[in-house]
Amino acid sequence: MKNLLSLILIFVFLTSCSTLSRKRENSKLKSEIKETLLTYTAKQEAPKLVVGIVVDQMRYDYLTRFYSRYGNGGFKRLMNDGYNLTNNHYNFVPTYTAPGHASIYTGTSPMNHGIIGNNWYDKMEDKVIYNASDKDYTGVGTDSEDGKMSPRKMLTSTVTDQLELHTQGKAKVIGISIKDRGAILPAGHAADAAYWFEGGDRGNFISSTFYMQQLPQWVSDFNTSKKADHYLKTWNTLYPLETYTASGPDLNDFEKAPKGKETATFPYDLNNLRGENGNYSLIKGTPYGNSIVADFAVEALKKEEMGKDEITDFLAVSFSSTDYIGHQYGVNSVEIEDTYLRLDLDIERLLNALDQEVGNGNYTVFLTADHGAVHNPAYLQSKRVNSGYFSRSNFEKQLNKDLKTMYNQEDLISNISNDQIFFNKENVRKNKINPIDLENFIATLIIDYVHIDKVYTRNALVSGIQADGTGRLIQNGFHHKRSGDVIFVLEPAVISYSKTGSTHGSSQSYDTHVPLLFYGNGIRKSSSSKRTEIIDIAPTISSLLKISFPNGATGNPISEVLK
C-alpha cells in the first residue's frame, strides 16, 4: 500500500509541474507510472459483472463486411476499445449451436463435455434425443414441452458454474436467449436462472423447475406487458434499400420467403404473416427477436441488480435470431445485412445500460459466435465456385444396399445423423460380424460415394491421435460413449440442405472462423491475428476472475488479452 501511495504522490507532483522543460523531462515517467497504476488497479479489482455475448451463426467477416455501416457504440466500440482476436476458430466438428455454446463456456470440446450435436442418437435408449431435454423437470411460466429442460446432458462444468462454486453461491448467474439451449448451456448447472422465449400463441419468456419453482415478479411483469406484440410489425430496411451494397440484390433465387409471401423481399408485414408462420414464433426469424432479448437482458440487469456489489455476477446473453435469418435467407442476403445493422444498435443499447447500471470500467464483456455459415451453394455455383448438395436419403439407401450385398444382412445400421453412422450393435453381434471389419468396409466403401471427402472410423479415433487438421477437429468432436462408429466429411461447400438459405456444421473455415472480442475491466486495448480457439474463452475469463477453470477445460488463457 505504501508503494501505491508513493506512486500516486509522484504522479500528482509530475502532473502539477507547469514548465515546458519539466513536462518534457517527466512525460515518459508519468506515462510509466500511469500504466503501473492502471495495472495495479486492474489486479486489485475484479469486474463486478461479466457479460458473455454469443451471436448465433455469426461469421467472422460480418465484423468487416458491414464495418463501415456500424455505429460507434456497438461492434465498433468492442473492436476498437477492446481486444480483437481476428483468427479465432472452433477446434472441432460439428459446428452447431449446442456444441458451440457448451464449448464456449466449458473451455473444452464435445469429446469431454458430451454435447455432440443439437440432437443426437442415443444408443442406450435407441432414439434421437435433444441436448437440453429433461423429463425430470417441468416448465415454469408454461405447461408445454418447451419448459422441460436442463443442462444435465452437459457432462463438465462451465465457467459460470465455477464462479458460483468460488463464491459459495453468492454470485448471480443468469442465461438469456431466444433458444432454450442458448440460455441453458451458458448458464450452466449451478445458475440462478435461465430464460428462453416461447413462441406459438404465447410470446413469453419461460424457464424450468431445474432453476426455480415460479417466475420472478419482474419476468411475469415483462410477459404481461406483451412486449412481443410490439415487434409483430413491418420489417423494412433500416436504411434505404439501395444503400445495402455489401449484399446481393434483394430479389434473387437463393432465399426462402415466409409462408404467405410470394418473394423474399422487403418489406415484411409480420402482423399479416404471423397466422401462417407460427404466430409469436415468427419473431424469432426477424431482427426483433434480438431486440426482445436485449430488452429482457436490460430488464434482468436492472431488476436483479446485477453488478451492484463486490461479488462478480455473470450475465450470459445469446442472440439467436441471426441464425434463423441466416438459414432462411442466406449469407449474402440484404436480410442478413439489415439484421446485423440492427443488432449493432441492440448491442449498443445493452452496453449503454451496463454503463448506467454498473459503470464503465466495472464490467467485462466478451463477444463471440457459436458457429459461422456457408454461402448458398447454388449462389456459389453461379459464381463458378465448387459447391453442391448431398442427399442423405440417397446416401442411406445406397449404403444399406451395399451392406446387404456384402453381408447378406439388413438393419446393420441403427441411425445416420450429424454425419455419423451408428451400428445396430445387436444385429452386428448376432451375425458375428467384427465391428472393426465393418467400420473399415464402410470407410473404404463410402469414400467413393459422390461428395464424400474424408472418412474416419471409431477404431482410428479411439486408438490414435489424428494429426491432420480435419482429423483433429473430428477427434475433438468425438465422444467415446455418445458418438457413432463411422464419421464422414463432405466436400467443401457441399451441404445437405434446401436450395435456399444457408447452413453450417462442417470443419471448413466458413463454419469455424468466428469473432472473438474482449472489452472492459482487466482487458487490454489491442488486436491480434494469432490463432486462438473457442475453448480458450472460459480459461481466459477464469484467469481474469482468479477462479478455477471448468473441470474439463482443455483450452488455454489468452494471456495477451489481460492487463
Side-chain angles (χ1 to χ4, degrees):
M1 182 60 72
K2 289 182 179 179
N3 291 337
L4 177 61
L5 290 173
S6 299
L7 286 171
I8 293 172
L9 290 171
I10 294 171
F11 183 73
V12 171
F13 170 74
L14 293 175
T15 303
S16 66
C17 292
S18 58
T19 66
L20 181 62
S21 59
R22 281 180 177 174
K23 284 184 178 180
R24 287 173 176 170
E25 290 171 2
N26 296 323
S27 61
K28 182 178 180 181
L29 183 58
K30 282 171 60 181
S31 178
E32 291 174 351
I33 293 175
K34 185 176 182 181
E35 182 65 29
T36 302
L37 287 170
L38 290 172
T39 302
Y40 185 91
T41 302
K43 287 181 178 179
Q44 291 297 107
E45 297 179 6
K48 292 184 176 181
L49 177 67
V50 176
V51 181
I53 299 175
V54 180
V55 183
D56 204 324
Q57 201 188 121
M58 184 176 184
R59 292 162 54 110
Y60 167 76
D61 64 352
Y62 289 165
L63 285 180
T64 55
R65 181 173 146 201
F66 309 134
Y67 182 84
S68 64
R69 309 206 70 190
Y70 292 142
N72 293 320
F75 286 118
K76 280 185 177 179
R77 178 177 175 182
L78 300 178
M79 294 171 72
N80 298 330
D81 295 338
Y83 205 105
N84 183 6
L85 293 148
T86 64
N87 190 24
N88 183 63
H89 288 265
Y90 274 86
N91 70 325
F92 65 85
V93 288
T95 40
Y96 294 137
T97 296
H101 280 79
S103 297
I104 291 166
Y105 281 86
T106 63
T108 192
S109 50
M111 69 183 299
N112 293 314
H113 63 60
I115 304 297
I116 63 171
N118 292 333
N119 304 276
W120 65 85
Y121 175 69
D122 188 304
K123 291 176 278 191
M124 304 301 177
E125 297 188 26
D126 189 28
K127 67 178 183 180
V128 174
I129 60 172
Y130 181 64
N131 68 90
S133 62
D134 196 329
K135 65 181 183 299
D136 291 338
Y137 296 92
T138 58
V140 177
T142 181
D143 55 4
S144 74
E145 295 292 315
D146 293 348
K148 295 181 178 180
M149 302 287 168
S150 86
R152 294 200 298 174
K153 291 186 178 71
M154 182 167 57
L155 301 176
T156 61
S157 69
T158 60
V159 62
T160 44
D161 287 334
Q162 296 303 144
L163 178 60
E164 289 276 29
L165 293 172
H166 184 82
T167 62
Q168 302 299 309
K170 296 181 180 69
K172 186 165 288 186
V173 173
I174 297 176
I176 298 168
S177 179
I178 282 286
K179 295 181 179 179
D180 48 43
R181 56 189 181 271
I184 291 169
L185 298 175
H189 307 81
D192 295 272
Y195 302 104
W196 54 97
F197 186 77
E198 182 181 27
D201 295 330
R202 301 172 186 265
N204 292 330
F205 279 90
I206 63 173
S207 191
S208 159
T209 52
F210 179 84
Y211 301 102
M212 63 190 73
Q213 295 305 309
Q214 65 181 29
L215 294 176
Q217 187 60 48
W218 71 265
V219 178
S220 297
D221 292 343
F222 187 95
N223 289 336
T224 301
S225 72
K226 288 298 179 185
K227 178 77 73 170
D229 286 328
H230 168 73
Y231 289 120
L232 283 171
K233 56 185 178 180
T234 298
W235 174 22
N236 210 339
T237 52
L238 190 61
Y239 305 108
L241 181 61
E242 62 271 15
T243 66
Y244 286 71
T245 56
S247 305
D250 189 27
L251 179 62
N252 59 72
D253 296 329
F254 314 117
E255 303 173 19
K256 181 181 179 181
K259 293 177 181 178
K261 197 172 190 305
E262 291 186 4
T263 61
T265 54
F266 285 98
Y268 296 88
D269 185 343
L270 303 182
N271 193 49
N272 185 52
L273 294 169
R274 65 191 294 181
E276 295 184 64
N277 294 275
N279 202 358
Y280 289 108
S281 296
L282 179 59
I283 295 174
K284 299 178 182 182
T286 76
Y288 306 129
N290 293 329
S291 296
I292 199 170
V293 165
D295 293 338
F296 193 82
V298 170
E299 195 72 1
L301 180 69
K302 294 177 181 178
K303 299 300 185 181
E304 296 287 352
E305 298 185 332
M306 302 189 78
K308 294 294 188 182
D309 57 29
E310 299 307 311
I311 298 174
T312 302
D313 296 325
F314 206 120
L315 179 62
V317 182
S318 181
F319 292 106
S320 303
S321 291
T322 42
D323 184 67
Y324 292 104
I325 295 164
H327 277 295
Q328 183 158 358
Y329 302 102
V331 168
N332 202 47
S333 64
V334 175
E335 286 81 358
I336 273 289
E337 182 174 354
D338 192 67
T339 295
Y340 276 90
L341 297 183
R342 291 177 181 274
L343 177 59
D344 183 56
L345 297 177
D346 285 324
I347 290 174
E348 179 177 1
R349 186 156 57 91
L350 178 57
L351 293 175
N352 288 341
L354 290 167
D355 290 341
Q356 182 175 345
E357 298 298 321
V358 186
N360 192 10
N362 291 328
Y363 62 86
T364 303
V365 175
F366 70 81
L367 183 148
T368 188
D370 56 353
H371 52 74
V374 63
H375 267 289
N376 177 277
Y379 166 74
L380 291 177
Q381 289 170 352
S382 74
K383 300 296 183 181
R384 299 182 296 279
V385 177
N386 288 341
S387 57
Y389 294 91
F390 178 79
S391 172
R392 296 191 185 278
S393 60
N394 290 344
F395 171 80
E396 189 167 354
K397 289 176 184 176
Q398 185 63 48
L399 177 58
N400 284 323
K401 179 182 177 182
D402 290 338
L403 289 175
K404 170 74 171 173
T405 300
M406 175 64 182
Y407 291 99
N408 196 30
Q409 292 294 330
E410 296 179 344
D411 299 325
L412 293 177
I413 305 299
S414 287
N415 179 268
I416 300 176
S417 57
N418 297 326
D419 296 341
Q420 300 184 43
I421 301 170
F422 293 81
F423 293 170
N424 184 325
K425 301 289 187 182
E426 183 178 348
N427 283 352
V428 169
R429 282 194 297 268
K430 186 172 65 175
N431 290 283
K432 299 180 180 179
I433 299 172
N434 185 312
I436 294 178
D437 291 342
L438 183 57
E439 289 175 18
N440 292 333
F441 173 74
I442 291 176
T444 303
L445 175 71
I446 67 174
I447 194 63
D448 292 328
Y449 285 14
V450 64
H451 291 318
I452 299 291
D453 190 44
K454 298 177 180 68
V455 185
Y456 298 86
T457 65
R458 166 175 285 274
N459 183 57
L461 294 170
V462 170
S463 61
I465 297 175
Q466 299 294 315
D468 68 283
T470 303
R472 176 174 170 266
L473 269 62
I474 294 289
Q475 195 161 47
N476 287 340
F478 181 87
H479 189 269
H480 284 209
K481 189 171 184 177
R482 294 180 174 178
S483 294
D485 300 289
V486 177
I487 294 89
F488 57 91
V489 179
L490 301 180
E491 294 170 349
V494 172
I495 62 174
S496 180
Y497 203 65
S498 68
K499 295 293 180 70
T500 57
S502 301
T503 193
H504 51 86
S506 79
S507 61
Q508 308 300 334
S509 61
Y510 49 72
D511 282 336
T512 67
H513 189 195
V514 296
L516 180 53
L517 306 170
F518 289 90
Y519 170 87
N521 182 295
I523 304 300
R524 293 179 56 220
K525 178 180 174 181
S526 189
S527 64
S528 174
S529 60
K530 171 187 172 184
R531 182 183 173 95
T532 54
E533 295 183 337
I534 207 73
I535 60 173
D536 297 331
I537 296 174
T540 302
I541 295 298
S542 297
S543 295
L544 173 70
L545 301 181
K546 299 180 176 62
I547 62 175
S548 293
F549 290 5
N551 60 19
T554 51
N556 297 300
I558 310 170
S559 57
E560 59 266 34
V561 165
L562 305 176
K563 286 182 179 178

